[in-house]
Amino acid sequence: MSKVRVHVTFKFPTAENATAFGNLFRDDFIPRTVKEEGCLLYDVWQPNDDPLTLVLVESWASQQTLDTHLAQAWMKEKLPPAMALLGEGNKPAFHFCKSVMD
């Protein structure tokens, strides 16, 4: 099985929304997710020069472990309110990546 690496870029309408989203991930999503089977990396980064942008960086042992993560009840419950912080009409940009070392 191949590792799955995902970078998700979120653009927020205000710095306050970006901070609230970051806090949700720091306090809830990240501590839960890093304990999951198959999670190799799960973190949220913010560009030094852009307070309206956050980037979720995740790496999974396989597509199956990512799918299991996304199907959990707590994700289905907590993700919609977090996504609402993006504001109406804004959607994250998903980038499925591979390492040049693979």
Side-chain angles (χ1 to χ4, degrees), residues 10-26 29 51-54 78-92:
F10 301 92
K11 293 288 235 175
F12 295 90
T14 67
E16 292 79 16
N17 285 36
T19 298
F21 186 92
N23 290 344
L24 281 171
F25 270 72
R26 181 196 66 215
F29 285 75
L52 302 180
T53 299
L54 293 174
K78 296 191 175 261
L79 196 54
M83 298 303 286
L85 292 166
L86 286 170
E88 189 174 330
N90 292 333
K91 294 185 178 183

Side-chain angles (χ1 to χ4, degrees), residues 9-81:
T9 303
F10 301 92
K11 293 288 235 175
F12 295 90
T14 67
E16 292 79 16
N17 285 36
T19 298
F21 186 92
N23 290 344
L24 281 171
F25 270 72
R26 181 196 66 215
D27 297 341
D28 194 6
F29 285 75
I30 294 170
R32 288 180 193 232
T33 301
V34 297
K35 295 176 186 173
E36 293 177 24
E37 183 178 339
C39 180
L40 305 174
L41 173 68
Y42 196 83
D43 201 357
V44 174
W45 299 353
Q46 185 171 45
N48 291 336
D49 61 349
D50 188 352
L52 302 180
T53 299
L54 293 174
V55 180
L56 172 62
V57 178
E58 45 187 313
S59 183
W60 295 89
S62 67
Q63 184 65 51
Q64 182 180 354
T65 57
L66 173 58
D67 292 344
T68 298
H69 163 69
L70 294 172
Q72 294 186 77
W74 74 266
M75 280 291 289
K76 291 179 181 179
E77 173 191 338
K78 296 191 175 261
L79 196 54

Side-chain angles (χ1 to χ4, degrees), residues 1-5 40 59-63 97-98 102:
M1 283 191 255
S2 298
K3 292 179 185 173
V4 177
R5 296 169 185 96
L40 305 174
S59 183
W60 295 89
S62 67
Q63 184 65 51
C97 306
K98 65 180 180 179
D102 287 346

